[in-house]
């Protein structure tokens, strides 16, 4: 099937046919099998040792990584020519989703197989790959990534660590402190960023055994306690010149490209964590009795279960739609060309806005899920005997690392705006068309006989509002808009809600025709719940944005447009929620 290859951010200005989106229902048998292998690994090899891992028995973590190596789970993204499996991004995301059920171990796994391994794959020389890659993808060595410093987190390029070439030109001497390094306590290979001559931001491959590298004490953390987080102290650390990774002064490319990948995988991971937490909540609701009834029989609890199910559905739909976008684009590349990896990373960078959306939206869905799952547990959610307490603590980090959610929110409209400025997205032309729609008195009637007609009409209208507001903001602030953070945050929320809702609804539409009667009912219910929720959140962010940008008659006109375009006729909403809740409570699982 030929899919139109959508550009990054283009979903905001075009109507996307449902056949063009990849959904979890499209997984091949091979992909499912790898998902099942991962699930079985977590169940048999990690969950029996969760207590030990939580108490920082890192021997268990290292053993787990080795076992992952044996199963091939550390080489999903590694090219075949270097002994890897070179599977698609959908499989990579499925593994990230399934491994999330392992709690803290999943953080070690993600840091190792993501930020720890990918810089070497994409930027390493043949000699560097020959020296290190096999050790890493088999789990013989654990890997870590050292970007953050005490004085530079979000502002990663503000790093102070230095690298000075020795007089004989054989090695660099690295000095500085790296902060919050995942796997720091047991990693054997570190990708370290430092400035050559205090100026040229550069990456280095640093072995633990290199003279001058010290591992700091374990941080005492709120959650993910079974992961190792330490400082890495470089005190005249001697690194051979052969271990410069990529080019001198081009470290920022490595840092940013690897972050894009980390963000979409984080979206998949937190979706897996959310599913696991939801199941615990539903099981508990079925067990717990108050007022002589299971608490799952109460509407207040059912509404939570329905809302969480819908949130996870949107999160999952978004993640795999993004996987499909990436895989479609990557499949067009010619592997035989010399600059294949450059093109590969450029292809991923194309979807940098969607990668940031995945990180923000899915981590915030998980935040809602763990909060409400704890609430469903009442007082028992607050004590460590039940896993709800750990889920709640473990969740928090996802809104901080891989770029905080604020930084990611700022990036979303910033990147879209830059694409528009470069002429890659006709944002201003579409904004003018959208503005004209403010003057049209009414909408075309919706053909209610088509499934999801109301939801799809809403999505089209939300895009119109996004365009009206971005057009207004660009006109008012021009190139100064990048400094107006409150407006950018509101714009990000609009772009995020549209992508998430559209992903959910297009998936419903695609799957609906061939679905059983029960599945059809569930799909219609989840689309309604997602659309209502998105329309409300969108309207709030849009109104805020309008007040930030406009005043006087134009403001009045835009506010009335927002009212009109975000209106969602959610008849049957209560029944839809009850349908979702009843299915989840009966099956005691995530129902899609
Ligand atoms: C458990 C854990 C594991 C980690 N693992 C690793 C790892 O393996 N490797 C690694 O290199 N790093 C790692 N990190 C570091 C992590 O990526 C950083 O903590 C994160 O990037 C934020 O940096 P910071 O903590 O310095 O916060 P800051 O950058 O100081 O941010 C503080 C606040 O200011 C906001 N802010 C910052 N800049 C802006 C801006 N321009 N505009 C608006 N708001 C802004 C932030 O959103 C945040 O709310 C880890 C951190 C933790 C806690």
């Amino acid at each position: 099937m030929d899919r139109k290859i959508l550009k990054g951010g283009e979903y905001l200005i075009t109507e996307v046919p449902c056949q063009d989106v990849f959904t979890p229902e499209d997984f091949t048998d091979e992909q499912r099998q790898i998902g099942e292998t991962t699930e079985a690994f977590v169940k048999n090899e990690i969950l029996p040792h969760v207590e030990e891992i939580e108490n920082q028995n890192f021997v268990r973590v290292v053993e787990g990584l080795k076992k992952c190596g044996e199963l091939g789970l550390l080489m999903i993204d590694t090219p075949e020519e270097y002994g890897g499996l070179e599977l698609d991004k959908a499989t990579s995301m499925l593994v990230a989703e399934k491994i999330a059920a392992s709690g803290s171990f999943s953080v070690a796994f993600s840091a190792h197989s993501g930020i720890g391994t990918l810089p070497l794959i994409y930027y390493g020389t043949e000699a560097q790959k020959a020296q290190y890659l096999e050790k890493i993808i088999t789990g013989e060595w654990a890997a870590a990534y050292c970007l953050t410093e005490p004085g530079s987190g979000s502002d990663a390029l503000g790093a102070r660590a230095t690298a000075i070439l020795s007089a004989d030109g054989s090695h660099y001497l690295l000095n500085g402190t790296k902060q919050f390094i995942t796997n720091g306590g047991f990693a054997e290979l570190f990708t370290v960023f430092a400035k050559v001559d205090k100026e040229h931001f550069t990456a280095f491959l640093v072995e633990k055994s290199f003279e001058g590298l010290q591992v700091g004490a374990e941080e005492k953390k709120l959650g993910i306690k079974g992961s190792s987080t330490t400082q890495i102290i470089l005190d005249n650390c001697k690194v051979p010149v052969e271990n410069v990774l990529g080019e001198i002064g081009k470290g920022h490319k490595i840092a940013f490209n690897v972050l894009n990948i980390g963000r979409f995988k984080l979206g998949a991971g937190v979706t897996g964590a959310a599913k696991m937490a939801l199941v615990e909540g539903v099981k508990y609701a079925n067990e717990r009795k108050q007022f002589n009834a299971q608490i799952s029989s109460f509407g207040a609890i059912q509404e939570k279960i329905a809302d969480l199910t819908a949130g996870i559905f949107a999160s999952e739909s978004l993640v795999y739609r993004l996987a499909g976008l990436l895989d479609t684009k990557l499949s067009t590349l010619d592997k035989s060309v010399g600059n294949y990896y450059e093109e590969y990373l450029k292809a991923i960078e194309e979807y940098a806005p969607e990668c940031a959306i995945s990180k923000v939206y899915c981590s915030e869905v998980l935040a809602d899920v763990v909060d409400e799952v704890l609430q469903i547990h009442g007082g028992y959610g607050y004590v460590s005997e039940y896993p709800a307490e750990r889920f709640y603590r473990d969740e928090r980090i996802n809104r901080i690392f891989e770029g905080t959610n604020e930084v990611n929110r700022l990036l979303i409209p910033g990147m879209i705006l830059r694409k528009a400025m470069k002429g890659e997205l006709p944002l201003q032309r579409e904004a003018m068309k959208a503005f004209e729609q403010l003057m049209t008195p009414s909408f075309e009637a919706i053909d209610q006989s088509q499934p999801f007609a109301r939801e799809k009409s809403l999505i089209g209208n939300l895009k119109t509002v996004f365009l009206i507001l971005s057009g207004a903001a660009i006109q008012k602030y021009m190139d100064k808009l990048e400094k107006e953070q409150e407006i950018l945050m509101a714009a990000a929320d609009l772009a995020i809600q549209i992508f998430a809702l559209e992903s959910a609804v297009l998936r419903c539409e695609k799957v609906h025709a061939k679905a059983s009667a029960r599945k059809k009912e569930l799909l219609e219910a989840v689309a309604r719940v997602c659309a209502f929720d998105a329309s409300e959140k969108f309207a709030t962010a849009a109104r805020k944005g309008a007040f930030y940008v406009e005043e006087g008659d134009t403001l009045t006109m835009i506010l009335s447009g927002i009212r009109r375009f975000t209106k969602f006729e959610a008849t049957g909403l209560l029944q839809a929620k009850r349908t979702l809740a009843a299915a989840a409570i009966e099956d005691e699982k995530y129902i899609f």
Side-chain angles (χ1 to χ4, degrees):
M1 180 192 50
D2 273 345
R3 281 193 189 134
K4 175 176 184 272
I5 302 185
L6 221 58
K7 289 186 200 150
E10 196 180 352
Y11 74 93
L12 287 164
I13 55 169
T14 189
E15 196 177 327
V16 182
C18 69
Q19 295 312 324
D20 282 4
V21 298
F22 182 84
T23 77
E25 289 75 12
D26 295 324
F27 281 134
T28 61
D29 288 345
E30 192 196 351
Q31 287 169 323
R32 282 180 212 283
Q33 212 176 357
I34 294 171
E36 283 161 19
T37 302
T38 315
E39 242 169 12
F41 161 75
V42 172
K43 186 164 163 244
N44 301 327
E45 306 286 340
I46 300 297
L47 295 185
H49 309 297
V50 157
E51 267 314 301
E52 274 176 276
I53 292 176
E54 283 299 290
N55 285 313
Q56 304 212 320
N57 179 349
F58 294 133
V59 174
R60 285 281 183 214
V61 177
V62 172
E63 279 172 6
L65 286 175
K66 287 200 173 111
K67 186 78 197 170
C68 284
E70 284 166 28
L71 293 169
L73 299 177
L74 302 180
M75 52 184 79
I76 306 279
D77 296 292
T78 308
E80 281 176 342
E81 58 184 302
Y82 302 112
L85 297 175
E86 202 171 4
L87 299 173
D88 49 35
K89 294 298 163 223
T91 310
S92 184
M93 291 212 202
L94 186 60
V95 170
E97 186 199 316
K98 299 289 183 189
I99 208 89
S102 66
S104 292
F105 177 80
S106 69
V107 180
F109 175 92
S110 311
H112 173 91
S113 60
I115 51 183
T117 308
L118 298 178
L120 174 61
I121 295 179
Y122 299 136
Y123 294 93
T125 60
E126 291 301 319
Q128 289 168 341
K129 285 180 199 170
Q131 193 174 355
Y132 296 119
L133 198 50
E134 193 184 334
K135 287 194 174 81
I136 301 297
I137 64 174
T138 56
E140 186 186 334
W141 276 16
Y145 178 82
C146 308
L147 178 64
T148 307
E149 296 187 4
S152 61
S154 302
D155 179 20
L157 300 186
R160 290 226 177 134
T162 56
I164 308 284
L165 189 61
S166 62
D168 65 359
S170 67
H171 60 267
Y172 283 92
L173 280 181
L174 267 56
N175 280 288
T177 301
K178 294 291 166 177
Q179 181 79 1
F180 298 141
I181 305 308
T182 301
N183 295 350
F186 51 80
E188 297 287 343
L189 186 69
F190 300 83
T191 302
V192 176
F193 292 84
K195 285 184 176 161
V196 172
D197 299 332
K198 299 190 177 171
E199 195 181 344
H200 309 289
F201 195 66
T202 306
F204 297 85
L205 292 167
V206 183
E207 293 181 30
K208 185 179 197 160
S209 60
F210 285 176
E211 194 185 318
L213 184 145
Q214 286 168 40
V215 176
E218 284 294 335
E219 298 289 351
K220 293 185 174 54
K221 307 191 292 280
L222 169 72
I224 55 163
K225 285 179 187 278
S227 70
S228 167
T229 315
T230 68
Q231 281 192 335
I232 297 297
I233 302 133
L234 306 155
D235 182 8
N236 282 329
C237 179
K238 235 175 136 176
V239 180
V241 282
E242 298 80 46
N243 280 33
V244 168
L245 183 65
E247 291 173 49
I248 295 198
K250 298 276 171 67
H252 61 285
K253 279 193 165 188
I254 304 182
F256 294 142
N257 282 323
V258 167
L259 275 176
N260 280 329
I261 298 174
R263 285 170 188 158
F264 70 67
K265 284 207 189 175
L266 187 139
V270 292
T271 304
K275 286 184 189 177
M276 175 179 62
L278 173 72
V279 173
E280 287 299 323
V282 175
K283 280 188 186 159
Y284 185 83
N286 278 342
E287 276 164 23
R288 178 71 174 168
K289 282 192 173 164
Q290 288 292 281
F291 303 98
N292 290 324
Q294 289 167 311
I295 61 167
S296 61
S297 68
F298 301 142
I301 299 293
Q302 289 179 5
E303 186 178 24
K304 292 186 197 300
I305 292 171
D307 285 338
L308 300 184
T309 300
I312 299 172
F313 181 82
S315 187
E316 181 185 54
S317 307
L318 182 166
V319 158
Y320 290 105
R321 176 186 184 187
L322 174 54
L325 284 169
L326 293 165
D327 283 330
T328 309
K329 181 90 182 168
L330 292 171
S331 69
T332 62
L333 303 181
D334 180 359
K335 268 191 191 169
S336 63
V337 297
N339 64 346
Y340 173 66
Y341 288 122
E342 215 174 291
E343 292 299 313
Y344 184 97
L345 291 167
K346 234 193 255 166
I348 293 178
E349 199 187 348
E350 173 68 31
Y351 300 106
E354 285 84 356
C355 291
I357 289 175
S358 163
K359 198 270 169 178
V360 173
Y361 184 84
C362 302
S363 66
E364 292 180 4
V365 165
L366 176 63
D368 288 343
V369 171
V370 295
D371 188 52
E372 290 293 17
V373 165
L374 190 152
Q375 192 69 14
I376 289 171
H377 281 73
Y380 296 93
Y382 203 70
V383 294
S384 57
E385 192 184 337
Y386 288 82
E389 181 257 4
R390 177 167 59 81
F391 297 160
Y392 186 80
R393 289 185 289 101
D394 285 355
E395 170 278 321
R396 193 61 185 82
I397 187 61
N398 294 297
R399 288 179 274 158
I400 297 171
F401 59 16
E402 302 284 358
T404 64
N405 281 17
E406 291 77 22
V407 167
N408 273 287
R409 271 195 165 83
L410 294 170
L411 284 173
I412 296 163
M415 291 185 291
I416 292 170
L417 210 62
R418 246 167 278 137
K419 278 174 182 281
M421 299 294 183
K422 280 198 266 171
E424 292 170 14
L425 282 181
L427 198 67
Q428 267 145 306
R429 186 190 71 202
E430 294 300 319
M432 276 162 71
K433 278 200 234 161
F435 212 82
E436 280 163 23
Q437 285 195 51
L438 271 183
M439 330 287 180
T440 56
S442 63
F443 301 132
E444 283 173 31
I446 298 172
D447 178 1
Q448 304 267 6
S449 67
Q450 294 302 312
F452 313 109
R454 272 190 262 168
E455 287 79 7
K456 288 180 71 181
S457 161
L458 171 70
I459 293 164
N461 290 339
L462 299 187
K463 290 183 186 182
T464 304
V465 175
F466 174 84
L467 289 167
I468 291 169
L469 285 172
S470 358
I474 293 170
Q475 206 172 30
K476 178 155 179 193
Y477 293 100
M478 307 297 280
D479 57 351
K480 308 251 176 348
L481 184 55
E482 296 215 21
K483 301 248 177 280
E484 298 294 325
Q485 288 202 346
E486 297 88 337
I487 297 171
L488 295 175
M489 299 293 274
D493 283 338
L494 304 184
I496 291 169
Q497 288 299 332
I498 293 172
F499 193 65
L501 177 62
E502 187 174 65
S503 305
V505 171
L506 291 178
R507 174 177 173 193
C508 289
E509 192 188 8
K510 185 174 178 187
V511 176
H512 192 263
K514 290 193 188 144
S516 64
R518 181 180 189 248
K519 182 98 192 241
K520 278 194 168 81
E521 196 189 4
L522 293 176
L523 290 167
E524 286 161 22
V526 81
R528 185 97 350 137
V529 177
C530 286
F532 178 75
D533 182 60
S535 68
E536 293 294 306
K537 287 181 176 147
F538 185 97
T540 304
R543 272 197 299 273
K544 191 167 74 169
F547 280 113
Y548 288 167
V549 174
E550 286 295 354
E551 51 193 23
D553 290 346
T554 316
L555 173 63
T556 309
M557 188 169 66
I558 290 180
L559 286 175
S560 119
I562 292 172
R563 217 171 12 255
R564 213 152 58 90
F565 286 107
T566 59
K567 200 164 125 196
F568 179 62
E569 216 275 275
T571 310
L573 182 64
L574 180 57
Q575 192 48 49
K577 289 196 182 187
R578 287 184 176 165
T579 299
L580 293 180
I585 288 164
E586 192 186 326
D587 296 359
E588 283 195 342
K589 64 179 183 115
Y590 168 66
I591 50 177
F592 290 101

